[in-house]
Amino acid sequence: MTDESERDRAVQAAIDGEMRLLDPEVRASPARVLELLDPEFIEFGASGRRWDVESILTVTSGGSVSLESPVKVSEMAGVVLAPGIVHLTYFADNQGRRAWRSSVWRLTETGWRMYFHQATLTG
């Protein structure tokens, strides 16, 4: 993947997926969340807990992001690590719970899916 526009499209696809996963309406639908998570998905949450697809679906469908107070995202940046692999970093504020976030997205036969996510709380 040496073409700059191809790299830009890959990064934008990962950003689009990340933003969909932060959307309260998407999070409320396990089927829509599953479309965006890799079957091998793992997250190390800000709480220190390790999550997989099954456990994250319980949280997302439980209203972890409010329609009235969506997550505020800033400093979103992405880089292609290898063909079909994108690393995103950004800052998120979820009703005062502020964290640096990092995600790895990979291209699958069904599209871009989040493979790994980590959150680190900030002061």
Side-chain angles (χ1 to χ4, degrees), residues 28-42:
S29 167
R32 290 174 75 187
V33 171
L34 279 173
E35 291 173 0
L36 295 165
L37 294 182
D38 192 275
E40 297 176 16
F41 169 81
I42 295 293

Side-chain angles (χ1 to χ4, degrees), residues 26-90:
V26 171
R27 292 172 78 86
S29 167
R32 290 174 75 187
V33 171
L34 279 173
E35 291 173 0
L36 295 165
L37 294 182
D38 192 275
E40 297 176 16
F41 169 81
I42 295 293
E43 174 177 338
F44 297 132
S47 65
R49 182 172 173 187
R50 182 181 184 273
W51 304 87
D52 59 15
V53 172
E54 187 175 310
S55 60
I56 211 73
L57 283 177
T58 304
V59 172
T60 58
S61 61
S64 59
V65 175
S66 150
L67 283 169
E68 296 79 35
S69 302
V71 175
K72 294 179 184 80
V73 173
S74 60
E75 301 183 51
M76 179 75 75
V79 64
V80 174
L81 298 178
I85 305 288
V86 171
H87 179 227
L88 297 180
T89 56
Y90 62 98

Side-chain angles (χ1 to χ4, degrees), residues 18-25 27 63-74 76 90-101 117:
E18 191 83 37
M19 297 308 292
R20 283 195 305 276
L21 279 172
L22 292 171
D23 181 322
E25 291 182 14
R27 292 172 78 86
S64 59
V65 175
S66 150
L67 283 169
E68 296 79 35
S69 302
V71 175
K72 294 179 184 80
V73 173
S74 60
M76 179 75 75
Y90 62 98
F91 187 75
D93 185 333
N94 186 5
Q95 301 180 52
R97 185 177 169 132
R98 300 159 48 92
W100 282 107
R101 296 190 169 268
H117 186 79

Side-chain angles (χ1 to χ4, degrees), residues 1 5-15 80 84-86 112:
M1 187 181 297
S5 64
E6 198 172 330
R7 288 193 306 269
D8 291 345
R9 281 193 300 276
V11 169
Q12 190 58 55
I15 290 171
V80 174
I85 305 288
V86 171
W112 286 93

